[in-house]
Amino acid sequence: MARGWLTVADPTDEDAGDGAVDLFRALGRQIKVLRERAGLTQKALGEQLGYAEETISAAERGRRVPQPELLEAVDDLLGADGVLKAAKEDVERAKAKARVRHPAWFKDYARLEREAEGIDFFSTVTVPGLLQTEDYARVTFSVRQPLLDDETIERRVAARLHRQELLAGWPSPRVTAVIDESVLRREIGGRKVQRGQLEHLLNVGRLRSTTLQVLPLDCEEYAGVDGPFILLHPKGKPQVGYLEVQGVSRLITDPADVRILAARYGSIRGQALTPRESLGLIEKLLGEN
């Protein structure tokens, strides 16, 4: 990565969020206008500032974000009279958001989740992302096939942790989660990571806004045979469902299909342990570790 710059996401790939890309492009256009007014080429400007020509080119196209010290240097050199310096705080905020990016296929779900008054999870493979620890989340991204590069893994971990701020806010959404017992017993990432995840679930399960239930392995009339799903209750909007399997995601908006998922979730909750029993089972599993 070139000195002093943060690469901007391709808007068709992952979401840089809340106008960050537009800000970067607007700054790039300002730098270009100032450079041309001064009669400098991109190479000449880069040489005077200590950057490569391609770096200046990328900045003017809005593909890279300058660090505050670079904005100051460009402002002073090209006589911007403080215009670029005034944007430093906005750039810092945009950079933070640019690090929290979701895959393009996840954008719609992430937006609805932020708006939700209630979220219901049925999980049969991993702990729901909204309830994962950082270590557990990192493992789930690290083991995916084909392999993700380290930068993408860390970006997605950051995005997942950012989503969890929903649980700390007020008013926080009502969250219910039914987790298959096999998920709690599978030591994803090893015993230490799984133990930390179980401890986190205990803490989350004691929040007033969150209800955890475990679907036991000895459930004979298992209503979850069709796999995991999520139900979202956006404020002032109809309930929707969400499915994600083998890298394929789908929002369920047809009212009839959503009603089927809601009825299925009711059956699954009825077959699960009570919240008190579920926390007791998690405590038991911690004791076994």
Side-chain angles (χ1 to χ4, degrees):
M1 185 178 297
R3 194 192 90 186
W5 299 82
L6 172 70
T7 301
V8 182
D10 182 342
T12 63
D13 177 21
E14 301 201 358
D15 180 17
D18 297 337
V21 171
D22 290 338
L23 172 63
F24 304 154
R25 288 173 177 166
L27 282 171
R29 287 192 293 268
Q30 290 178 26
I31 293 172
K32 180 179 180 180
V33 169
L34 291 167
R35 174 183 61 77
E36 291 180 341
R37 187 183 69 178
L40 295 174
T41 63
Q42 292 176 344
K43 181 178 181 180
L45 177 60
E47 288 175 346
Q48 293 193 44
L49 296 176
Y51 291 89
E53 178 182 357
E54 56 268 25
T55 301
I56 301 300
S57 175
E60 292 185 354
R61 289 182 290 115
R63 297 296 297 157
R64 293 181 184 269
V65 186
Q67 296 290 351
E69 58 270 19
L70 181 61
L71 283 175
E72 291 182 356
V74 173
D75 196 296
D76 291 338
L77 179 66
L78 301 182
D81 297 325
V83 172
L84 294 179
K85 292 179 181 178
K88 288 191 299 181
E89 291 185 4
D90 292 330
V91 168
E92 287 298 325
R93 286 192 292 268
K95 283 166 57 181
K97 291 178 181 178
R99 294 189 183 98
V100 180
R101 300 198 298 266
H102 297 295
W105 50 265
F106 194 70
K107 290 180 186 179
D108 289 339
Y109 173 83
R111 175 179 53 80
L112 289 170
E113 186 181 70
R114 289 194 300 269
E115 301 171 354
E117 293 182 312
I119 311 170
D120 302 317
F121 296 98
F122 175 51
S123 296
T124 63
V125 181
T126 62
V127 171
L130 205 63
L131 308 181
Q132 292 179 4
T133 65
E134 180 176 349
D135 289 339
Y136 188 99
R138 184 171 287 106
V139 172
T140 65
F141 289 123
S142 298
V143 299
R144 291 193 175 184
Q145 299 287 341
L147 296 175
L148 301 175
D149 61 80
D150 290 343
E151 182 180 353
T152 299
I153 290 171
E154 292 307 313
R155 188 166 62 235
R156 294 194 180 178
V157 169
R160 181 159 291 180
L161 297 178
H162 181 72
R163 284 172 54 208
Q164 295 177 6
E165 293 179 5
L166 284 172
L167 302 179
W170 183 261
S172 57
R174 172 196 55 77
V175 175
T176 72
V178 180
I179 304 174
D180 194 273
E181 184 179 344
S182 62
V183 174
L184 304 180
R185 291 186 175 277
R186 182 171 293 109
E187 294 183 352
I188 292 180
R191 181 165 296 184
K192 181 178 179 181
V193 171
Q194 188 69 355
R195 182 176 182 83
Q197 180 62 68
L198 292 176
E199 291 173 344
H200 181 64
L201 286 176
L202 277 181
N203 292 331
V204 171
R206 294 181 178 122
L207 296 175
R208 287 190 297 157
S209 59
T210 303
T211 302
L212 285 186
Q213 291 179 260
V214 177
L215 191 59
L217 290 174
D218 61 5
C219 178
E220 295 182 357
E221 298 180 356
Y222 188 72
V225 291
D226 285 342
F229 59 89
I230 301 172
L231 290 167
L232 292 168
H233 309 260
K235 185 176 182 180
K237 298 179 181 179
Q239 185 181 34
V240 299
Y242 179 73
L243 307 177
E244 184 180 318
V245 61
Q246 295 296 327
V248 178
S249 63
R250 180 187 173 195
L251 279 173
I252 309 298
T253 57
D254 181 83
D257 292 337
V258 175
R259 283 195 295 271
I260 290 173
L261 286 179
R264 187 174 298 159
Y265 189 68
S267 297
I268 291 169
R269 290 197 72 183
Q271 295 172 341
L273 302 177
T274 67
R276 183 183 295 273
E277 292 169 339
S278 298
L279 294 182
L281 176 58
I282 294 173
E283 289 177 335
K284 178 183 176 182
L285 292 175
L286 276 169
E288 294 174 0
N289 281 343

